Amino acid sequence: MGAHNPEVYGLIRAYGRAMVGSWYRVEAHGERVPEQGALILYANHNGGLVDGGLMWFLTRRQLRFIAKYTLLRMPVLGVLIRAAGTIPVYRKKDNVDTSLNQSSFAAIDAALVGGEAIVLYPEGEGGTEPYVRPFKTGTARMALSAIGSGARDLSLVPVAITYEERDRYRSVLHATIGEPVRMDDLAEDDAPPSAVAAATTRIREALRAQLPEHEDPDQVAATQLAADLVPERGRPLPARMRAVVAGMARLRAAAPGRAARLQEQLAACAAELQGLGLGVRDVASRPSALQTSGAAVMALASGLLRAAAHVAWAPAYLPARAVASRVAPRDKVVTFTLIGSSFAGLAWAIGAATWAWRSGGGLPAAASAIAVLLAAWWVAAHAREAWDRAAATLRAACSWERRVEPLRQRLEHLRRELTRRSDAAARLARTGGTA
């Protein structure tokens, strides 16, 4: 049993992809999602409904989401979520009858036995922690129940979601797809608690293996800086960050004092780069006069385009962003902004087209108004990326002697230190020596 209306589902999928793609640059890494057979896609949950929309970038399969019942009760949005074939779950904390979960589990069983694809988030709640929170047992129980009901080819595929800068417009959103997890060996007619616990541990560890986890949120910026400094540029950022986390763990075990000093230096440089609004690539070499002049022209052109695009969509975007910043939980600011601005944007586009029509232009004028707004939407994204690059070049050029060059030298020292220390830590781990 799939979505009730495939055409409606297709529209919802297009809407979700458009919303996520309008804010983020999505990059997928790792394995391919199986295109056939019973499937559970599961992921960490740090970005609200954006985490759901991301899944439509990973596969063309029709996906059925598992969502808390309260989402399905929301006006307008709840209608869309139901139309996509979403299966509700009922939680005690929502003051609902949890016995209704029996029908939800039956629907999940039927979907998986029928070879469909399910999406869920085993942590249960969204959050901002830079690590995988404890899993609820529901995912394991669903999988074991479905296998027991006949879904013998069931694959559970972990998707590690990593935001480079979650609230920043046009930042990169990474999805790292892990190898499928199987648990046929744990399935029984009536899975005991030990089997459920073992299955939960197995799927959680498979997801953790794809994420750069941190116990301290303050370490994330330092790890990302180290990942940008070390070699292996062909690897995606999450993989490089995982390598840094593992290397620092080895160094702490072998030489805790040196590891602490290195961590402090990385954190200080990361904070200084952030204060300057620059990245590692921006301080690699001093911009030439020609590069600086070109950046000034690009900044002016992209700035004018950004201003025009923002004016075109200001009535829809600005109120949504202001409300989201005030009322949304930290991990859902972008979700609230996108949903609010999309609904307000639809109303704004209809209003603009209606005004153009009634002003005497008729259908051509109305179509032109819609075309201008759509073009402004596209321009806003690309002009922002061009503006960021040009502005970074200008900031580096203007601050080079006083701030950037000393920072570049410190970063180069850290680059050499990271390479040397990671190699030394690996050797110490193999030999059991001391630093």
Side-chain angles (χ1 to χ4, degrees):
M1 180 178 61
H4 297 297
N5 188 319
E7 290 75 20
V8 172
Y9 174 86
L11 291 174
I12 295 170
R13 181 179 184 275
Y15 166 76
R17 282 177 57 95
M19 290 300 97
V20 175
S22 68
W23 191 278
Y24 296 105
R25 290 177 286 147
V26 175
E27 295 186 7
H29 320 287
E31 305 295 323
R32 294 181 64 88
V33 175
E35 292 298 328
Q36 294 182 340
L39 171 68
I40 294 179
L41 276 178
Y42 68 97
N44 54 309
H45 198 18
N46 290 344
L49 293 181
V50 170
D51 294 343
L54 173 64
M55 297 300 169
W56 281 314
F57 285 82
L58 309 182
T59 178
R60 295 181 180 180
R61 294 185 64 170
Q62 184 166 300
L63 303 175
R64 299 193 68 185
F65 292 83
I66 310 299
K68 58 186 179 182
Y69 171 68
T70 51
L71 282 179
L72 278 70
R73 296 183 59 188
M74 296 177 66
V76 184
L77 183 61
V79 175
L80 297 176
I81 292 174
R82 285 183 183 276
T86 300
I87 301 172
V89 290
Y90 302 86
R91 308 178 305 178
K92 289 182 180 179
K93 64 184 298 182
D94 295 326
N95 296 318
V96 295
D97 183 4
T98 56
S99 66
L100 294 172
N101 281 321
Q102 294 179 5
S103 62
S104 296
F105 269 68
I108 294 168
D109 256 10
L112 293 174
V113 170
E116 295 187 38
I118 296 291
V119 178
L120 49 77
Y121 302 89
E123 292 169 313
E125 291 281 1
T128 59
E129 298 86 350
Y131 53 82
V132 178
R133 298 182 297 279
F135 276 14
K136 309 297 183 184
T137 60
T139 304
R141 289 187 287 116
M142 291 174 191
L144 295 174
S145 175
I147 293 172
S149 298
R152 293 294 176 180
D153 61 343
L154 175 63
S155 296
L156 291 92
V157 175
V159 179
I161 301 174
T162 305
Y163 292 83
E164 288 196 12
E165 295 179 76
R166 184 179 47 217
D167 296 339
R168 186 170 178 271
Y169 183 57
R170 302 310 295 165
S171 59
V172 179
L173 170 55
H174 297 272
T176 305
I177 305 167
E179 294 183 357
V181 179
R182 304 299 294 268
M183 53 182 61
D184 301 76
D185 58 307
L186 298 175
E188 301 179 20
D189 291 339
D190 186 12
S194 59
V196 173
T200 300
T201 298
R202 184 178 298 181
I203 60 177
R204 183 170 183 264
E205 291 306 309
L207 180 59
R208 291 185 66 199
Q210 307 302 320
L211 272 174
E213 292 189 290
H214 300 80
E215 295 181 3
D216 184 357
D218 294 335
Q219 296 176 351
V220 177
T223 298
Q224 187 165 333
L225 172 58
D228 285 335
L229 287 171
V230 295
E232 301 180 290
R233 289 288 182 180
R235 301 176 68 189
L237 178 65
R240 300 200 311 271
M241 290 180 69
R242 290 199 306 272
V244 170
V245 170
M248 290 297 293
R250 292 193 300 267
L251 184 57
R252 279 195 298 271
R258 291 179 180 177
R261 288 193 294 273
L262 183 57
Q263 184 74 40
E264 290 175 2
Q265 292 171 350
L266 285 167
C269 286
E272 190 167 352
L273 277 172
Q274 185 176 16
L276 288 168
L278 300 174
V280 171
R281 292 182 180 180
D282 302 321
V283 301
S285 61
R286 183 171 189 168
S288 65
L290 182 61
Q291 289 173 322
T292 303
S293 300
V297 173
M298 180 62 72
L300 177 60
S302 59
L304 291 173
L305 287 172
R306 283 184 66 198
H310 285 179
V311 168
W313 284 104
Y317 170 77
L318 292 181
R321 183 65 172 177
V323 171
S325 299
R326 285 180 173 271
V327 305
R330 184 179 171 188
D331 61 311
K332 297 181 177 65
V333 171
V334 174
T335 291
F336 276 52
T337 300
L338 290 176
I339 293 174
S341 59
S342 65
F343 291 147
L346 178 61
W348 170 239
I350 292 173
T354 301
W355 176 83
W357 182 297
R358 291 183 175 179
S359 295
L363 181 59
S368 297
I370 296 296
V372 167
L373 288 175
L374 290 176
W377 186 17
W378 183 88
V379 165
H382 291 79
R384 173 59 184 264
E385 294 172 20
W387 165 267
D388 286 344
R389 291 192 298 270
T393 299
L394 292 175
R395 284 193 293 267
C398 293
S399 306
W400 190 268
E401 293 290 349
R402 185 169 56 90
R403 299 184 63 183
V404 178
E405 174 59 21
L407 176 59
R408 187 197 66 78
Q409 294 177 8
R410 290 162 57 198
L411 289 172
E412 186 58 34
H413 170 76
L414 279 173
R415 189 196 306 276
R416 294 193 297 268
E417 180 78 359
L418 280 167
T419 302
R420 186 170 68 88
R421 290 299 178 196
S422 61
D423 292 343
R427 289 195 301 270
L428 287 168
R430 290 193 300 267
T431 63
T434 58

